[in-house]
């Protein structure tokens, strides 16, 4: 009778399964893009595991992943990473999220970047006086460039103006 795996072993097995999936499509940009849309944010979450072996393995995988995501067809899940950044307290996860957000921010469609502005601005004061604040502000400034402000007096302007 086989012993049941420990929580650490289960986490390592899960992380390694994701790694094998990534390695299996590493040279196929479209498939890698699709896979990372689904698994990158949860993989980054494992960097805050209670187990040092899991944290170390995740960091190794993410470091190797950076070599596979160079082609412009590989666009990371910026919205999911930004939402994860805003909801986590882990400094490690926040730093990894920012790194991968910066990678793909300019690759995301303009309409999708506009949708990111409210997410990025929400709770901005929470990051005040943190080393990562400059990076987050850089992201916000790049997103603000994509905002369209309606001409004054137009129907859109009237619809968005406070009454």
């Amino acid at each position: 009778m086989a012993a049941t795996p420990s929580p650490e072993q289960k986490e390592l097995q899960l992380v390694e399964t994701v790694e094998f999936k990534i390695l299996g499509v590493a040279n196929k940009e479209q498939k890698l893009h699709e896979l990372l849309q689904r698994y990158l944010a949860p993989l980054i979450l494992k960097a805050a595991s209670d187990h040092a072996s899991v944290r170390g393995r995740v960091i190794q995988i993410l470091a190797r992943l950076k070599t596979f995501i160079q082609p412009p067809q590989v666009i990371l899940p910026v919205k999911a990473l930004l939402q994860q950044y805003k909801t986590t307290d882990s400094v490690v996860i926040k730093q990894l999220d920012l790194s991968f957000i910066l990678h793909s921010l300019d690759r995301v469609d303009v309409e999708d970047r506009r949708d990111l502005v409210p997410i990025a601005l929400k709770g901005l004061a929470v990051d005040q006086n943190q080393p990562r604040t400059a990076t987050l502000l850089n992201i916000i400034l790049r997103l603000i460039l994509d905002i369209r402000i309606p001409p004054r007096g137009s129907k859109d302007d009237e619809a968005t103006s406070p009454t």
Side-chain angles (χ1 to χ4, degrees):
M1 188 172 201
T4 57
S6 69
E8 180 178 8
Q9 290 170 327
K10 286 180 183 177
E11 279 190 73
L12 270 173
Q13 186 177 20
L14 182 66
V15 166
E16 288 172 355
T17 300
V18 172
E19 178 185 23
F20 288 130
K21 287 182 180 191
I22 291 170
L23 291 174
V25 297
N27 59 351
K28 301 172 187 132
E29 287 89 10
Q30 184 59 34
K31 293 211 181 250
L32 181 61
H33 163 77
E34 293 168 7
L35 188 75
L36 293 176
Q37 292 296 314
R38 179 179 219 167
Y39 290 112
L40 182 59
L43 179 63
I44 291 173
L45 274 179
K46 290 294 181 186
S49 171
D50 293 335
H51 309 289
S53 61
V54 175
R55 291 190 305 266
R57 191 75 182 127
V58 168
I59 298 301
Q60 286 176 342
I61 293 168
L62 294 175
R64 187 182 313 168
L65 180 63
K66 291 209 178 213
T67 62
F68 300 139
I69 61 174
Q70 296 310 315
Q73 298 87 352
V74 179
I75 302 171
L76 303 178
V78 174
K79 184 175 183 177
L81 294 172
L82 190 55
Q83 289 171 329
Q84 180 170 278
Y85 174 88
K86 291 296 187 168
T87 58
T88 189
D89 292 329
S90 169
V91 175
V92 173
I93 292 174
K94 284 182 178 278
Q95 194 59 44
L96 291 168
D97 284 339
L98 287 177
S99 171
F100 286 105
I101 289 168
L102 285 171
H103 171 274
S104 287
L105 189 62
D106 293 330
R107 297 179 183 190
V108 175
D109 293 334
V110 172
E111 290 298 321
D112 292 335
R113 282 197 308 263
R114 287 183 189 137
D115 293 340
L116 296 174
V117 173
I119 298 168
L121 290 174
K122 183 179 179 183
L124 181 60
V126 172
D127 286 322
Q128 186 176 2
N129 298 323
Q130 297 295 322
R132 62 187 172 269
T133 304
T135 305
L136 183 60
L137 284 174
N138 181 349
I139 290 168
I140 291 169
L141 291 173
R142 288 165 63 184
L143 291 171
I144 287 176
L145 292 173
D146 296 321
I147 294 178
R148 285 186 300 182
I149 300 173
R152 188 160 231 133
S154 70
K155 288 183 181 181
D156 289 336
D157 180 41
E158 291 173 9
T160 58
S161 296
T163 53

